[in-house]
Every structure is written in C-alpha cells, then in structure tokens.
Amino acid sequence: MSMDLSIRNVSHSFALQGGPLPVLDDISLDIPAGSFISLLGPSGCGKSTLLRFIAGLELPGRGDIIAGGAPVRAPGPSRILAFQDATLFPWATVWNNVATGLAARHELKGRESLIDDALELVRLGGFAKAYPHQLSGGMAQRAALARALVNEPQILLLDEPFGKLDALTRMGLQEELLAIWKRTGFTGVLVTHDVEEALLLSGRVVVLSDRPARVLRIFDVQRPLPRRRDDPAIVSLRIEILTALGHAPAGEVAA
Amino acid sequence: MSDVADVPEIGRDGHRLPTLWAAGLLSSLGFAATAAVTLIVPDVVPWGSTALFAWICAGSALLLLMLSASLVSLPERFQNRVKAAGPWLVAIGVWLLLWEISTAKLGWLPKPFFSPPQGLLQVYVSDGPRLLICILYSLRLWGLGFLSGIAVGYALGLALGWSPRFSYWGMPILKLIGPVPASAWIPVTFFFFPSTFHASIFIVALSSGIPVAILTASGVGSINRAYYDVARTMGAGDWYQITHIAMPGSLPHVFVGLFMGLYYSFAVLVVAEMLGAKYGLGWYIQFQTAYSGYANVYATLIIMAAICAGLVKLLFIIRGRLLGWQTGFIA
C-alpha cells in the first residue's frame, strides 16, 4: 500500500507586498514507493511549503509533483498530511476526530471498526470518547497519527509531528511511528529539523539550504532498523549532516 | 491516627444545639418583621392587597424558619444551593421592610410615582387576566421575531464568514445598518409589510438577527485555518467543512451573539408593540404610563425581567450542553 513520489523542478515564490519572496528553488527528488525520507533544513526554509504542495493543498508556481504516476492537482486521501500541532477538532471526541476522513468521504458506514483498530494501533483504545482537551500532548499527537493512518494513505506526509513534545515522549513516538511504518508500508516524507530524528527514522536524509531552499546534499542511511542513537555510523553521519547545514559541532571533527 | 480523627469529634460536641442555618434565621426575621409592620401600621393611602402581602411575608418567614432548622438533614447538593442564596435572602427581607416603611407606612416615596410591594401585588390580583393575555401576546411576538431573526442571522453569518465574495458585499452593509436603532425602521416597515404585526416581528427579528449575524461571521473567521487543511487533506468537500468545522467551531461566538440578541430583542419589544398592538407587555407599559399607572408599569417590568432572566438561564443551559468540549468552560 504505497506509491512512489516524484518532485520535478519545483520552484515557488510567495507574493508579498514588498515583492516576490522565493521559497523553493528547483527542487527535484525521486522517492521510491514504500521508502521513508526526511527533509532537513533550517526553519523557515520552505520545507513545510513543499509538503503542502505534495499534499495538494496548494500548487507550486513551477514544476510538477507526480504521485503514483499522476500529477498532483488537489488534496486526496492517498496523500495525508499530519501537522506539527495535533490540530484535533476540539469539539469532536477522539473517535470522531479519527473518523473525520472516512466520514467526509462518506465511507464510514459499516467500517466503524477501522476507527477502533486505528485507535488501538496508537494505544488510545480507552480514549475513544474523550475530548482533545483531556489528552496530553503526546496522546493528542498519537490521535492525530491515527486520524491520518485510518485513511490508509499511500503517502504519509509528516510536518515536524513531534516538534513540540518533550524529549521522552518524542523518543517513544519515534519508535511507534517506525513500527507502524513497518506494518503498513506507506511512503513516508518527514519534515524535521532534528538531525537525530531524521537519522533514526529514514532511509534517506535530504538536506535543504536556507531560503530559497535547494537540495544541498542527500545522505543514504544504510543501517538496519531499529537504529541506536550511539551507533558510530549514525554518530558520524550526524556530524556530517550538521556540517552540511553549517553547524559543525565544536570540539568534534567531522569523520 | 486517632488524634487526627478526634479533632472534628471535639468540634462537633462543642455545638450542643442542632446546627441552625444562621442566614436563613436572619432572613426569616426580616420577612417576619415586614409582615408585622405591614399588618400593624396603617397605610397612608389605601393600596389594596395589604393583608395578602403581609400573609405572604409571614408564610415566607415560616418557610425560611423551617428550612433553617432542617437544612442539615437535606441532601448536600440542595444544601449548598440554598446556602449560596443565603445572603440574598437576608437582603431581600431587609429590602422589603425598608420598601414597605418608606412607601406605604410613612409616605416618603409617594403615590403615584412609587408603589409599595402590596401596590404591585394589587396589580397582579386585579389585572391578572389581562396581564396574562399580554404575556402570551408578547411571547408570541418575541418568539416569532427572535426565532426567525436568529435563523436568518445565523445563515447570513455563516455565509459572510465562509465566502469572501459574500463578505465583500455583505459586511459593509451589515456594519452600516447594524447601529441603526430599531425604531428608525418603523416608517419603512409600514411600507413593506402587510400588517403591523408583521412589521413588529420584523423589528424584533432585526434586533436579534444582526448581533447573531455579526458574531457568527466573526466566529467562522476566527477558526484556525489548519482545521480546514486537515479536513481537505483527507478529501473533505465544502459541505463537510461548513457543517463539521465552520459550524461547531463558530459556536462559542454564536452564543455571545444569541445572548446579545436576546437582550436587544427584549429592549425593542416595547417599540415593536407601539405599532398598533392591542395587547402585549410593551403595549401595557405604554398604556399605563399614559395614565400614570406607575404601579402597573413596575409590576409589568418585573414580569418582563423575570421572563428575560428565565430565557437567559435556558440559553445558558443549552450552551452548557453544546459547548461542553471547550477547555476550562465555566457554566
């Protein structure tokens, strides 16, 4: 259940009052079906904009995005975007939040068990009737993940999904995400500025430049999953990536 | 362990008498004093219903006395609610006593401009049936006006909040006509509406619809745009986004508009009933004002205030039901 994704020469500028503000500069990427890649770059460099283009929420000024052989022109349930904030609807129960996609597409009838399964998958089975304000930050993010996964997306776009969580919760959720990805096999695109997170989760790390974003370097991470943070290969890759981003750690020497 | 448990024991033994509710006792005293003064001291001018008022006060005093003696044995929920009302009950007892003395007994606040409590009671006793009809007429006018007003106002507000094009044309017009007082519409409504009753409904509807429309529009506009993105990325269409995001998301604002509309519509009820009405509380107030029947005016104002307060309470209950999902929501 996945599709390949091809980003071809995508450039974009926002029209601001002071003139155009270029955010993406000729980005090209080929992402094979079922792989997991991370987009890494300074904040505000346009990573999130690229995800919105892949989701189809907006269209790029130039270039094409091809998902599963067809150009992306509008949002669709095969490409689901999960946001940095859980953005659960506060007026709906957790169950109804997770049911959003199926309900909106009139596919819910007779398939209610899918919602329960998705909640079990993220270990929120007991919170179906809770309202979002009753959840902790990590639980809300897991509910948001369930809301995305229940649509069985072939491409899952994650926009810094763990960015606002504490370190321990984040580590737990990274492991869960990895397990879910192994089980369901979607094509994953993760936007993050946490180098370690990118290295733990993805097969490839794409390092983007400051705005307007260009592809600076692409790193292949060939270590088997699940990975250890203190794996020497991961540590040296981390230093390499930080150097590429212009932040060579003081006192350490790039391997 | 035992010394901790002993502390309340000693405290409880310290009170020999069964605990009496002090505020209840005090308020009972106030009502009893009012009853005694009303019965014993003669009125300066006759008002009627003096004895009835005295007996009502005496009855209330007795009831409060019984309540203050038995309160500890009642369910805790009920106890707490009664206790919370205590200071008010005391104040009402004192207020009635001062009111009675300064008007009926001493004549400091003279007829016809002021009325003692029994004067208002006399209005209900002597003019009760007519007032009842007036209440029903007013409720019909208000109900039709308010309900049609908020229905149109809500639909308009959703459209204004949802569609930029609708908002471009609609918002300036709404802002222009919003501050116009309801009475200013009377000449126009006479031309457009087949009967004065319809014109009256329109004025009530306008006064309740405009705040609902403005607040609904601002409510839809205040919703986090990311909610729409979430729905769109999962393939939700416009209709789903309106019914499942715009409508629930704007509800907190909508209720503010409903409360404003409720108060405005009650305020214009008097104006609306100027338009050739034959019954109605607003009409009754104007009629009695013209004949210096101020006791009747006060008595009617109390009825209107009570109805309005009841409707506000009802709206609060509905809001509590619908907005339970809000964080830190205070009912």
Side-chain angles (χ1 to χ4, degrees):
Chain A
M1 279 295 287
S2 61
M3 52 170 67
D4 61 338
L5 181 65
S6 175
I7 298 162
R8 291 182 191 163
N9 308 102
V10 166
S11 298
H12 191 75
S13 305
F14 286 124
L16 295 186
Q17 279 183 341
L21 174 77
V23 285
L24 297 174
D25 181 15
D26 197 28
I27 305 253
S28 290
L29 283 172
D30 277 300
I31 303 162
S35 66
F36 198 118
I37 77 151
S38 291
L39 303 177
L40 203 64
S43 53
C45 78
K47 309 179 293 269
S48 299
T49 307
L50 186 58
L51 273 203
R52 290 177 69 83
F53 290 155
I54 301 173
L57 290 172
E58 284 158 50
L59 296 179
R62 264 193 305 167
D64 293 298
I65 290 170
I66 317 284
V72 170
R73 304 213 188 285
S78 60
R79 289 164 279 116
I80 300 278
L81 175 56
F83 296 81
Q84 177 175 19
D85 295 303
T87 53
L88 298 172
F89 303 137
W91 49 82
T93 60
V94 169
W95 198 94
N96 279 326
N97 263 290
V98 174
T100 300
L102 292 176
R105 300 192 302 274
H106 310 288
E107 294 169 5
L108 185 58
K109 221 171 213 172
R111 302 176 69 194
E112 287 86 355
S113 63
L114 287 179
I115 313 297
D116 303 319
D117 295 346
L119 282 172
E120 286 300 331
L121 188 67
V122 297
R123 299 187 291 113
L124 280 177
F127 289 87
K129 288 198 174 82
Y131 280 89
H133 75 260
Q134 298 167 302
L135 303 183
S136 69
M139 286 158 79
Q141 206 51 262
R142 293 213 301 270
L145 204 57
R147 177 170 66 176
L149 291 170
V150 77
N151 300 289
E152 294 172 347
Q154 305 190 36
I155 297 172
L156 183 63
L157 308 163
L158 300 153
D159 190 356
E160 295 185 41
F162 313 134
K164 288 191 175 169
L165 302 176
D166 64 273
L168 285 176
T169 311
R170 184 159 63 227
M171 279 158 71
L173 277 176
Q174 285 165 351
E175 282 163 25
E176 279 182 50
L177 179 64
L178 207 58
I180 291 168
W181 174 68
K182 274 186 176 169
R183 270 177 62 178
T184 52
F186 52 80
T187 309
V189 183
L190 172 75
V191 158
T192 181
H193 45 228
D194 179 346
V195 179
E196 201 172 70
E197 179 169 280
L199 286 169
L200 286 177
L201 296 176
S202 45
R204 262 201 300 164
V205 179
V206 179
V207 177
L208 299 171
S209 72
D210 208 346
R211 195 176 57 224
R214 284 170 294 108
V215 176
L216 279 183
R217 275 186 71 179
I218 298 177
F219 294 88
D220 281 305
V221 190
Q222 280 157 344
R223 308 296 295 166
L225 293 164
R227 296 177 186 141
R228 291 172 54 95
R229 274 157 228 275
D230 53 3
D231 179 338
I234 296 292
V235 172
S236 71
L237 261 177
R238 179 169 161 270
I239 293 166
E240 253 189 275
I241 291 173
L242 281 171
T243 310
L245 283 164
H247 292 284
E252 295 181 55
V253 181
Chain B
M1 196 65 206
S2 65
D3 52 355
V4 175
D6 274 348
V7 175
E9 279 304 311
I10 293 164
R12 224 178 278 155
D13 286 344
H15 297 96
R16 282 285 179 94
L17 288 165
T19 351
L20 279 172
W21 177 42
L25 215 58
L26 217 62
S27 65
S28 170
L29 220 63
F31 277 90
T34 310
V37 168
T38 309
L39 267 185
I40 296 163
V41 186
D43 286 357
V44 190
V45 282
W47 282 98
S49 296
T50 300
L52 179 62
F53 173 66
W55 288 119
I56 290 175
C57 283
S60 306
L62 192 66
L63 219 67
L64 285 164
L65 188 67
M66 278 156 48
L67 195 64
S68 52
S70 63
L71 194 62
V72 282
S73 58
L74 294 173
E76 197 161 341
R77 240 183 81 111
F78 183 74
Q79 259 189 57
N80 291 337
R81 291 182 72 170
V82 171
K83 275 183 182 161
W88 267 106
L89 288 171
V90 176
I92 290 170
V94 173
W95 164 256
L96 283 176
L97 184 63
L98 296 178
W99 183 9
E100 179 66 30
I101 293 173
S102 58
T103 51
K105 303 309 178 191
L106 296 177
W108 290 346
L109 302 171
K111 201 176 184 176
F113 306 105
F114 295 94
S115 161
Q118 59 261 48
L120 304 187
L121 203 58
Q122 175 67 15
V123 172
Y124 299 134
V125 170
S126 63
D127 222 3
R130 186 151 63 145
L131 275 170
L132 202 66
I133 295 174
C134 284
I135 290 172
L136 294 176
Y137 268 81
S138 281
L139 279 181
R140 182 180 66 155
L141 171 60
W142 176 82
L144 287 169
F146 183 75
L147 291 179
S148 58
I150 62 171
V152 174
Y154 183 60
L156 213 63
L158 277 182
L160 286 168
W162 180 258
S163 152
R165 180 174 296 183
F166 201 84
S167 169
Y168 174 82
W169 293 104
M171 218 54 197
I173 296 175
L174 193 62
K175 281 180 180 159
L176 210 63
I177 65 168
V180 177
S183 50
W185 292 99
I186 291 175
V188 185
T189 53
F190 271 135
F191 179 78
F192 281 111
F193 288 93
S195 76
T196 52
F197 181 59
H198 290 91
S200 304
I201 292 177
F202 173 74
I203 286 175
V204 175
L206 201 65
S207 68
S208 47
I210 285 176
V212 172
I214 292 176
L215 267 297
T216 305
S218 85
V220 173
S222 72
I223 296 171
N224 186 351
R225 307 303 302 172
Y227 291 145
Y228 295 115
D229 285 342
V230 167
R232 281 174 62 215
T233 185
M234 294 184 218
D238 278 355
W239 183 246
Y240 188 88
Q241 291 176 56
I242 290 173
T243 55
H244 286 74
I245 297 174
M247 285 169 74
S250 62
L251 216 50
H253 281 74
V254 172
F255 268 96
V256 176
L258 285 174
F259 280 109
M260 287 167 66
L262 183 62
Y263 284 120
Y264 289 165
S265 62
F266 253 79
V268 303
L269 208 55
V270 180
V271 177
E273 282 173 346
M274 286 200 305
L275 307 181
K278 290 285 170 285
Y279 283 104
L281 294 171
W283 165 84
Y284 189 84
I285 287 173
Q286 292 171 63
F287 179 81
Q288 294 295 348
T289 308
Y291 290 91
S292 302
Y294 295 122
N296 301 61
V297 173
Y298 299 139
T300 316
L301 286 175
I302 290 174
I303 295 177
M304 286 184 83
I307 294 175
C308 191
L311 289 166
V312 167
K313 178 81 188 163
L314 188 70
L315 204 53
F316 264 113
I317 292 171
I318 296 171
R319 188 178 79 146
R321 284 274 172 88
L322 291 179
L323 292 185
W325 50 265
Q326 279 189 306
T327 351
F329 177 74
I330 298 152

